mmCIF file of all heavy atoms in Angstrom:
data_model
loop_
_atom_site.group_PDB
_atom_site.id
_atom_site.type_symbol
_atom_site.label_atom_id
_atom_site.label_comp_id
_atom_site.label_asym_id
_atom_site.label_seq_id
_atom_site.Cartn_x
_atom_site.Cartn_y
_atom_site.Cartn_z
ATOM 1 N N GLY A 711 -4.822 9.823 18.856
ATOM 2 C CA GLY A 711 -5.877 8.970 18.371
ATOM 3 C C GLY A 711 -5.960 7.724 19.189
ATOM 4 O O GLY A 711 -7.063 7.210 19.414
ATOM 5 N N GLN A 712 -4.802 7.163 19.552
ATOM 6 C CA GLN A 712 -4.832 5.971 20.393
ATOM 7 C C GLN A 712 -5.498 6.306 21.751
ATOM 8 O O GLN A 712 -6.304 5.488 22.257
ATOM 9 C CB GLN A 712 -3.426 5.457 20.636
ATOM 10 C CG GLN A 712 -2.734 4.951 19.382
ATOM 11 C CD GLN A 712 -1.251 4.593 19.574
ATOM 12 O OE1 GLN A 712 -0.764 4.813 20.680
ATOM 13 N NE2 GLN A 712 -0.654 4.092 18.548
ATOM 14 N N LEU A 713 -5.179 7.461 22.299
ATOM 15 C CA LEU A 713 -5.828 7.863 23.615
ATOM 16 C C LEU A 713 -7.313 7.977 23.406
ATOM 17 O O LEU A 713 -8.091 7.597 24.348
ATOM 18 C CB LEU A 713 -5.182 9.136 24.101
ATOM 19 C CG LEU A 713 -3.820 8.995 24.719
ATOM 20 C CD1 LEU A 713 -3.236 10.458 24.966
ATOM 21 C CD2 LEU A 713 -3.807 8.197 26.011
ATOM 22 N N LEU A 714 -7.780 8.582 22.348
ATOM 23 C CA LEU A 714 -9.195 8.721 22.080
ATOM 24 C C LEU A 714 -9.865 7.463 22.039
ATOM 25 O O LEU A 714 -10.960 7.275 22.639
ATOM 26 C CB LEU A 714 -9.386 9.516 20.712
ATOM 27 C CG LEU A 714 -10.808 9.687 20.283
ATOM 28 C CD1 LEU A 714 -11.609 10.636 21.266
ATOM 29 C CD2 LEU A 714 -10.883 10.324 18.860
ATOM 30 N N ALA A 715 -9.240 6.466 21.341
ATOM 31 C CA ALA A 715 -9.844 5.116 21.365
ATOM 32 C C ALA A 715 -9.831 4.450 22.699
ATOM 33 O O ALA A 715 -10.870 3.892 23.158
ATOM 34 C CB ALA A 715 -9.064 4.237 20.376
ATOM 35 N N GLN A 716 -8.717 4.516 23.393
ATOM 36 C CA GLN A 716 -8.592 3.850 24.690
ATOM 37 C C GLN A 716 -9.526 4.459 25.726
ATOM 38 O O GLN A 716 -10.076 3.764 26.536
ATOM 39 C CB GLN A 716 -7.182 3.938 25.195
ATOM 40 C CG GLN A 716 -6.883 3.198 26.470
ATOM 41 C CD GLN A 716 -5.355 3.182 26.762
ATOM 42 O OE1 GLN A 716 -4.640 2.325 26.215
ATOM 43 N NE2 GLN A 716 -4.857 4.063 27.564
ATOM 44 N N ALA A 717 -9.698 5.780 25.626
ATOM 45 C CA ALA A 717 -10.565 6.455 26.619
ATOM 46 C C ALA A 717 -12.012 6.024 26.531
ATOM 47 O O ALA A 717 -12.815 6.214 27.422
ATOM 48 C CB ALA A 717 -10.486 8.023 26.445
ATOM 49 N N HIS A 718 -12.376 5.469 25.349
ATOM 50 C CA HIS A 718 -13.810 5.036 25.073
ATOM 51 C C HIS A 718 -13.888 3.536 25.002
ATOM 52 O O HIS A 718 -14.901 3.049 24.391
ATOM 53 C CB HIS A 718 -14.323 5.764 23.863
ATOM 54 C CG HIS A 718 -14.465 7.229 24.089
ATOM 55 N ND1 HIS A 718 -13.447 8.107 23.888
ATOM 56 C CD2 HIS A 718 -15.540 7.996 24.507
ATOM 57 C CE1 HIS A 718 -13.811 9.314 24.179
ATOM 58 N NE2 HIS A 718 -15.091 9.274 24.531
ATOM 59 N N GLY A 719 -13.010 2.791 25.525
ATOM 60 C CA GLY A 719 -13.179 1.355 25.589
ATOM 61 C C GLY A 719 -12.462 0.557 24.560
ATOM 62 O O GLY A 719 -12.540 -0.651 24.494
ATOM 63 N N GLY A 720 -11.786 1.285 23.644
ATOM 64 C CA GLY A 720 -10.967 0.546 22.658
ATOM 65 C C GLY A 720 -9.702 0.051 23.270
ATOM 66 O O GLY A 720 -9.350 0.268 24.432
ATOM 67 N N THR A 721 -8.933 -0.781 22.470
ATOM 68 C CA THR A 721 -7.732 -1.386 22.985
ATOM 69 C C THR A 721 -6.507 -0.940 22.149
ATOM 70 O O THR A 721 -6.488 -0.950 20.926
ATOM 71 C CB THR A 721 -7.806 -2.935 22.817
ATOM 72 O OG1 THR A 721 -9.019 -3.386 23.556
ATOM 73 C CG2 THR A 721 -6.588 -3.672 23.423
ATOM 74 N N VAL A 722 -5.451 -0.565 22.858
ATOM 75 C CA VAL A 722 -4.206 -0.097 22.295
ATOM 76 C C VAL A 722 -3.112 -1.005 22.845
ATOM 77 O O VAL A 722 -3.020 -1.246 24.011
ATOM 78 C CB VAL A 722 -3.864 1.325 22.534
ATOM 79 C CG1 VAL A 722 -2.559 1.733 21.905
ATOM 80 C CG2 VAL A 722 -5.002 2.248 22.064
ATOM 81 N N GLU A 723 -2.285 -1.626 21.908
ATOM 82 C CA GLU A 723 -1.231 -2.493 22.332
ATOM 83 C C GLU A 723 0.027 -2.269 21.497
ATOM 84 O O GLU A 723 0.008 -1.619 20.479
ATOM 85 C CB GLU A 723 -1.671 -3.955 22.080
ATOM 86 C CG GLU A 723 -2.927 -4.397 22.908
ATOM 87 C CD GLU A 723 -3.408 -5.730 22.504
ATOM 88 O OE1 GLU A 723 -3.787 -6.009 21.379
ATOM 89 O OE2 GLU A 723 -3.391 -6.655 23.428
ATOM 90 N N ARG A 724 1.170 -2.799 21.987
ATOM 91 C CA ARG A 724 2.319 -2.826 21.168
ATOM 92 C C ARG A 724 2.075 -3.648 19.899
ATOM 93 O O ARG A 724 1.666 -4.793 20.026
ATOM 94 C CB ARG A 724 3.512 -3.344 21.952
ATOM 95 C CG ARG A 724 4.840 -3.357 21.288
ATOM 96 C CD ARG A 724 5.423 -1.989 21.037
ATOM 97 N NE ARG A 724 5.572 -1.171 22.206
ATOM 98 C CZ ARG A 724 6.408 -0.075 22.318
ATOM 99 N NH1 ARG A 724 7.080 0.231 21.186
ATOM 100 N NH2 ARG A 724 6.479 0.626 23.363
ATOM 101 N N SER A 725 2.389 -3.104 18.755
ATOM 102 C CA SER A 725 2.011 -3.847 17.549
ATOM 103 C C SER A 725 2.882 -5.078 17.366
ATOM 104 O O SER A 725 4.059 -5.028 17.436
ATOM 105 C CB SER A 725 2.252 -2.899 16.366
ATOM 106 O OG SER A 725 1.961 -3.622 15.131
ATOM 107 N N THR A 726 2.164 -6.172 17.043
ATOM 108 C CA THR A 726 2.868 -7.410 16.780
ATOM 109 C C THR A 726 3.476 -7.403 15.396
ATOM 110 O O THR A 726 4.334 -8.260 15.084
ATOM 111 C CB THR A 726 1.906 -8.590 16.884
ATOM 112 O OG1 THR A 726 0.810 -8.404 15.971
ATOM 113 C CG2 THR A 726 1.287 -8.771 18.289
ATOM 114 N N MET A 727 3.060 -6.474 14.544
ATOM 115 C CA MET A 727 3.631 -6.335 13.149
ATOM 116 C C MET A 727 4.858 -5.529 13.141
ATOM 117 O O MET A 727 5.497 -5.311 12.108
ATOM 118 C CB MET A 727 2.593 -5.713 12.253
ATOM 119 C CG MET A 727 1.266 -6.494 12.174
ATOM 120 S SD MET A 727 1.496 -8.117 11.480
ATOM 121 C CE MET A 727 1.939 -7.731 9.799
ATOM 122 N N GLY A 728 5.265 -4.990 14.273
ATOM 123 C CA GLY A 728 6.423 -4.139 14.332
ATOM 124 C C GLY A 728 6.059 -2.659 14.031
ATOM 125 O O GLY A 728 4.931 -2.361 13.730
ATOM 126 N N PRO A 729 7.108 -1.798 14.099
ATOM 127 C CA PRO A 729 6.794 -0.358 13.867
ATOM 128 C C PRO A 729 6.452 -0.035 12.455
ATOM 129 O O PRO A 729 6.785 -0.780 11.521
ATOM 130 C CB PRO A 729 8.104 0.314 14.284
ATOM 131 C CG PRO A 729 9.139 -0.762 14.081
ATOM 132 C CD PRO A 729 8.513 -1.985 14.453
ATOM 133 N N GLU A 730 5.667 1.003 12.265
ATOM 134 C CA GLU A 730 5.352 1.544 10.965
ATOM 135 C C GLU A 730 5.934 2.937 10.848
ATOM 136 O O GLU A 730 5.578 3.829 11.547
ATOM 137 C CB GLU A 730 3.839 1.549 10.699
ATOM 138 C CG GLU A 730 3.399 1.953 9.283
ATOM 139 C CD GLU A 730 1.906 1.933 9.138
ATOM 140 O OE1 GLU A 730 1.163 2.179 10.062
ATOM 141 O OE2 GLU A 730 1.508 1.717 7.944
ATOM 142 N N ILE A 731 6.912 3.115 9.882
ATOM 143 C CA ILE A 731 7.641 4.360 9.862
ATOM 144 C C ILE A 731 7.771 4.767 8.343
ATOM 145 O O ILE A 731 8.106 3.978 7.514
ATOM 146 C CB ILE A 731 9.045 4.173 10.432
ATOM 147 C CG1 ILE A 731 8.961 3.733 11.951
ATOM 148 C CG2 ILE A 731 9.898 5.443 10.312
ATOM 149 C CD1 ILE A 731 10.278 3.413 12.591
ATOM 150 N N GLY A 732 7.550 6.030 8.161
ATOM 151 C CA GLY A 732 7.822 6.616 6.794
ATOM 152 C C GLY A 732 6.563 7.025 6.101
ATOM 153 O O GLY A 732 5.439 6.972 6.631
ATOM 154 N N ALA A 733 6.756 7.329 4.823
ATOM 155 C CA ALA A 733 5.625 7.737 3.971
ATOM 156 C C ALA A 733 4.908 6.458 3.533
ATOM 157 O O ALA A 733 5.516 5.483 3.002
ATOM 158 C CB ALA A 733 6.098 8.521 2.741
ATOM 159 N N ARG A 734 3.630 6.457 3.758
ATOM 160 C CA ARG A 734 2.768 5.255 3.373
ATOM 161 C C ARG A 734 1.513 5.758 2.858
ATOM 162 O O ARG A 734 1.126 6.982 2.833
ATOM 163 C CB ARG A 734 2.495 4.519 4.689
ATOM 164 C CG ARG A 734 3.764 3.910 5.395
ATOM 165 C CD ARG A 734 4.363 2.748 4.484
ATOM 166 N NE ARG A 734 5.471 2.136 5.236
ATOM 167 C CZ ARG A 734 6.733 2.474 5.128
ATOM 168 N NH1 ARG A 734 7.045 3.545 4.406
ATOM 169 N NH2 ARG A 734 7.646 1.837 5.838
ATOM 170 N N LEU A 735 0.693 4.821 2.343
ATOM 171 C CA LEU A 735 -0.630 5.077 1.833
ATOM 172 C C LEU A 735 -1.646 4.390 2.792
ATOM 173 O O LEU A 735 -1.373 3.304 3.357
ATOM 174 C CB LEU A 735 -0.826 4.534 0.474
ATOM 175 C CG LEU A 735 -0.040 5.089 -0.688
ATOM 176 C CD1 LEU A 735 -0.274 4.360 -1.962
ATOM 177 C CD2 LEU A 735 -0.299 6.622 -0.892
ATOM 178 N N VAL A 736 -2.754 5.044 2.997
ATOM 179 C CA VAL A 736 -3.874 4.348 3.743
ATOM 180 C C VAL A 736 -5.111 4.387 2.757
ATOM 181 O O VAL A 736 -5.080 5.211 1.722
ATOM 182 C CB VAL A 736 -4.291 5.069 5.006
ATOM 183 C CG1 VAL A 736 -3.190 4.981 5.997
ATOM 184 C CG2 VAL A 736 -4.655 6.518 4.752
ATOM 185 N N ALA A 737 -6.054 3.546 2.966
ATOM 186 C CA ALA A 737 -7.179 3.452 2.054
ATOM 187 C C ALA A 737 -8.463 3.996 2.746
ATOM 188 O O ALA A 737 -8.831 3.528 3.834
ATOM 189 C CB ALA A 737 -7.449 2.010 1.647
ATOM 190 N N ARG A 738 -9.085 4.943 2.114
ATOM 191 C CA ARG A 738 -10.316 5.478 2.688
ATOM 192 C C ARG A 738 -11.426 4.514 2.471
ATOM 193 O O ARG A 738 -11.625 3.983 1.381
ATOM 194 C CB ARG A 738 -10.644 6.819 1.997
ATOM 195 C CG ARG A 738 -11.733 7.605 2.632
ATOM 196 C CD ARG A 738 -12.136 8.787 1.718
ATOM 197 N NE ARG A 738 -12.858 8.246 0.511
ATOM 198 C CZ ARG A 738 -13.480 9.058 -0.376
ATOM 199 N NH1 ARG A 738 -13.427 10.372 -0.182
ATOM 200 N NH2 ARG A 738 -14.119 8.580 -1.374
ATOM 201 N N ARG A 739 -12.278 4.209 3.474
ATOM 202 C CA ARG A 739 -13.391 3.356 3.398
ATOM 203 C C ARG A 739 -14.609 4.106 2.788
ATOM 204 O O ARG A 739 -14.699 5.333 2.797
ATOM 205 C CB ARG A 739 -13.732 2.745 4.694
ATOM 206 C CG ARG A 739 -12.644 1.868 5.236
ATOM 207 C CD ARG A 739 -12.855 1.347 6.628
ATOM 208 N NE ARG A 739 -14.099 0.563 6.771
ATOM 209 C CZ ARG A 739 -14.159 -0.715 6.566
ATOM 210 N NH1 ARG A 739 -13.062 -1.420 6.224
ATOM 211 N NH2 ARG A 739 -15.279 -1.389 6.704
ATOM 212 N N ASP A 740 -15.564 3.377 2.246
ATOM 213 C CA ASP A 740 -16.729 3.914 1.568
ATOM 214 C C ASP A 740 -17.535 4.856 2.519
ATOM 215 O O ASP A 740 -18.081 5.843 2.076
ATOM 216 C CB ASP A 740 -17.617 2.866 0.963
ATOM 217 C CG ASP A 740 -16.997 2.088 -0.227
ATOM 218 O OD1 ASP A 740 -16.011 2.681 -0.794
ATOM 219 O OD2 ASP A 740 -17.554 1.051 -0.529
ATOM 220 N N VAL A 741 -17.585 4.472 3.814
ATOM 221 C CA VAL A 741 -18.442 5.242 4.735
ATOM 222 C C VAL A 741 -17.858 6.662 4.918
ATOM 223 O O VAL A 741 -18.570 7.555 5.277
ATOM 224 C CB VAL A 741 -18.476 4.490 6.078
ATOM 225 C CG1 VAL A 741 -17.123 4.475 6.819
ATOM 226 C CG2 VAL A 741 -19.549 5.064 6.953
ATOM 227 N N ALA A 742 -16.566 6.850 4.508
ATOM 228 C CA ALA A 742 -15.994 8.157 4.643
ATOM 229 C C ALA A 742 -16.623 9.198 3.709
ATOM 230 O O ALA A 742 -16.469 10.410 3.880
ATOM 231 C CB ALA A 742 -14.475 8.133 4.424
ATOM 232 N N GLU A 743 -17.357 8.711 2.695
ATOM 233 C CA GLU A 743 -18.030 9.592 1.721
ATOM 234 C C GLU A 743 -18.916 10.572 2.408
ATOM 235 O O GLU A 743 -19.197 11.642 1.962
ATOM 236 C CB GLU A 743 -18.765 8.742 0.710
ATOM 237 C CG GLU A 743 -17.908 8.190 -0.347
ATOM 238 C CD GLU A 743 -17.466 9.153 -1.426
ATOM 239 O OE1 GLU A 743 -18.021 10.284 -1.487
ATOM 240 O OE2 GLU A 743 -16.496 8.844 -2.171
ATOM 241 N N SER A 744 -19.526 10.111 3.586
ATOM 242 C CA SER A 744 -20.508 10.960 4.253
ATOM 243 C C SER A 744 -19.973 11.612 5.533
ATOM 244 O O SER A 744 -20.656 12.241 6.306
ATOM 245 C CB SER A 744 -21.804 10.149 4.653
ATOM 246 O OG SER A 744 -21.424 9.125 5.483
ATOM 247 N N ASP A 745 -18.632 11.560 5.637
ATOM 248 C CA ASP A 745 -17.968 12.174 6.904
ATOM 249 C C ASP A 745 -17.740 13.632 6.604
ATOM 250 O O ASP A 745 -17.246 14.006 5.574
ATOM 251 C CB ASP A 745 -16.690 11.414 7.198
ATOM 252 C CG ASP A 745 -16.055 11.927 8.489
ATOM 253 O OD1 ASP A 745 -16.488 11.470 9.540
ATOM 254 O OD2 ASP A 745 -15.145 12.711 8.386
ATOM 255 N N PRO A 746 -17.941 14.518 7.624
ATOM 256 C CA PRO A 746 -17.752 15.942 7.429
ATOM 257 C C PRO A 746 -16.295 16.341 7.093
ATOM 258 O O PRO A 746 -16.094 17.350 6.471
ATOM 259 C CB PRO A 746 -18.167 16.559 8.794
ATOM 260 C CG PRO A 746 -19.069 15.505 9.400
ATOM 261 C CD PRO A 746 -18.554 14.240 8.949
ATOM 262 N N LEU A 747 -15.363 15.593 7.590
ATOM 263 C CA LEU A 747 -13.918 15.835 7.300
ATOM 264 C C LEU A 747 -13.349 15.008 6.155
ATOM 265 O O LEU A 747 -12.542 15.494 5.362
ATOM 266 C CB LEU A 747 -13.080 15.687 8.555
ATOM 267 C CG LEU A 747 -13.374 16.494 9.747
ATOM 268 C CD1 LEU A 747 -12.267 16.334 10.797
ATOM 269 C CD2 LEU A 747 -13.602 17.959 9.431
ATOM 270 N N TRP A 748 -13.742 13.804 6.068
ATOM 271 C CA TRP A 748 -13.134 12.843 5.183
ATOM 272 C C TRP A 748 -13.675 12.760 3.790
ATOM 273 O O TRP A 748 -13.086 12.151 2.902
ATOM 274 C CB TRP A 748 -13.120 11.483 5.838
ATOM 275 C CG TRP A 748 -11.949 11.197 6.742
ATOM 276 C CD1 TRP A 748 -11.877 11.654 8.021
ATOM 277 C CD2 TRP A 748 -10.765 10.581 6.408
ATOM 278 N NE1 TRP A 748 -10.674 11.281 8.555
ATOM 279 C CE2 TRP A 748 -9.955 10.609 7.623
ATOM 280 C CE3 TRP A 748 -10.263 9.965 5.246
ATOM 281 C CZ2 TRP A 748 -8.670 10.093 7.659
ATOM 282 C CZ3 TRP A 748 -8.959 9.404 5.358
ATOM 283 C CH2 TRP A 748 -8.252 9.470 6.501
ATOM 284 N N TRP A 749 -14.854 13.399 3.522
ATOM 285 C CA TRP A 749 -15.541 13.180 2.241
ATOM 286 C C TRP A 749 -14.659 13.622 1.094
ATOM 287 O O TRP A 749 -14.735 13.007 -0.058
ATOM 288 C CB TRP A 749 -16.874 13.902 2.190
ATOM 289 C CG TRP A 749 -16.762 15.392 2.218
ATOM 290 C CD1 TRP A 749 -16.874 16.199 3.286
ATOM 291 C CD2 TRP A 749 -16.604 16.273 1.117
ATOM 292 N NE1 TRP A 749 -16.783 17.534 2.948
ATOM 293 C CE2 TRP A 749 -16.582 17.604 1.577
ATOM 294 C CE3 TRP A 749 -16.391 16.074 -0.269
ATOM 295 C CZ2 TRP A 749 -16.396 18.697 0.770
ATOM 296 C CZ3 TRP A 749 -16.206 17.166 -1.076
ATOM 297 C CH2 TRP A 749 -16.224 18.494 -0.558
ATOM 298 N N ALA A 750 -13.758 14.617 1.249
ATOM 299 C CA ALA A 750 -12.995 15.047 0.127
ATOM 300 C C ALA A 750 -11.570 14.507 0.110
ATOM 301 O O ALA A 750 -10.739 14.805 -0.793
ATOM 302 C CB ALA A 750 -12.878 16.593 0.192
ATOM 303 N N VAL A 751 -11.205 13.606 1.020
ATOM 304 C CA VAL A 751 -9.956 12.947 1.078
ATOM 305 C C VAL A 751 -9.891 11.921 -0.069
ATOM 306 O O VAL A 751 -10.853 11.195 -0.306
ATOM 307 C CB VAL A 751 -9.708 12.352 2.426
ATOM 308 C CG1 VAL A 751 -8.385 11.550 2.407
ATOM 309 C CG2 VAL A 751 -9.602 13.374 3.528
ATOM 310 N N PRO A 752 -8.756 11.850 -0.788
ATOM 311 C CA PRO A 752 -8.703 10.903 -1.923
ATOM 312 C C PRO A 752 -8.804 9.458 -1.408
ATOM 313 O O PRO A 752 -8.608 9.217 -0.177
ATOM 314 C CB PRO A 752 -7.303 11.138 -2.481
ATOM 315 C CG PRO A 752 -6.859 12.457 -2.065
ATOM 316 C CD PRO A 752 -7.581 12.716 -0.733
ATOM 317 N N PHE A 753 -9.046 8.511 -2.310
ATOM 318 C CA PHE A 753 -9.256 7.145 -1.933
ATOM 319 C C PHE A 753 -7.963 6.592 -1.205
ATOM 320 O O PHE A 753 -8.085 5.862 -0.227
ATOM 321 C CB PHE A 753 -9.507 6.239 -3.179
ATOM 322 C CG PHE A 753 -9.469 4.797 -2.895
ATOM 323 C CD1 PHE A 753 -10.532 4.220 -2.080
ATOM 324 C CD2 PHE A 753 -8.456 3.999 -3.254
ATOM 325 C CE1 PHE A 753 -10.555 2.855 -1.800
ATOM 326 C CE2 PHE A 753 -8.426 2.611 -2.963
ATOM 327 C CZ PHE A 753 -9.512 2.078 -2.228
ATOM 328 N N ALA A 754 -6.796 6.951 -1.650
ATOM 329 C CA ALA A 754 -5.570 6.436 -1.049
ATOM 330 C C ALA A 754 -4.526 7.608 -0.816
ATOM 331 O O ALA A 754 -3.643 7.839 -1.528
ATOM 332 C CB ALA A 754 -4.881 5.359 -1.973
ATOM 333 N N PRO A 755 -4.732 8.367 0.250
ATOM 334 C CA PRO A 755 -3.940 9.515 0.525
ATOM 335 C C PRO A 755 -2.555 9.142 1.071
ATOM 336 O O PRO A 755 -2.386 8.143 1.729
ATOM 337 C CB PRO A 755 -4.738 10.322 1.550
ATOM 338 C CG PRO A 755 -5.470 9.247 2.299
ATOM 339 C CD PRO A 755 -5.859 8.242 1.300
ATOM 340 N N ASP A 756 -1.523 9.937 0.786
ATOM 341 C CA ASP A 756 -0.208 9.859 1.426
ATOM 342 C C ASP A 756 -0.383 10.277 2.855
ATOM 343 O O ASP A 756 -1.020 11.269 3.224
ATOM 344 C CB ASP A 756 0.786 10.736 0.744
ATOM 345 C CG ASP A 756 1.103 10.265 -0.673
ATOM 346 O OD1 ASP A 756 1.727 9.179 -0.788
ATOM 347 O OD2 ASP A 756 0.754 11.008 -1.626
ATOM 348 N N VAL A 757 0.313 9.545 3.761
ATOM 349 C CA VAL A 757 0.407 9.908 5.145
ATOM 350 C C VAL A 757 1.812 9.625 5.676
ATOM 351 O O VAL A 757 2.612 8.905 5.017
ATOM 352 C CB VAL A 757 -0.607 9.101 6.066
ATOM 353 C CG1 VAL A 757 -2.078 9.399 5.571
ATOM 354 C CG2 VAL A 757 -0.278 7.599 5.990
#
């Protein structure tokens, strides 16, 4: 995913927040309701 972003002009850097490791939750944004893959993903899925 980082390479996909960087290849199209996005920026990838060493995180100033430190590493993120383990089971976490992410929050789906409203725009995902119309996405072909994300529309059925819960609001806060485990990752």
Side-chain angles (χ1 to χ4, degrees):
Q712 293 175 358
L713 286 169
L714 178 64
Q716 185 170 278
H718 291 86
T721 303
V722 180
E723 300 174 298
R724 183 67 57 159
S725 176
T726 59
M727 301 297 292
E730 185 177 29
I731 300 173
R734 298 288 186 269
L735 297 174
V736 298
R738 190 190 71 171
R739 294 174 62 88
D740 290 346
V741 70
E743 284 282 345
S744 59
D745 185 82
L747 300 190
W748 274 81
W749 67 264
V751 173
F753 173 72
D756 290 295
V757 299

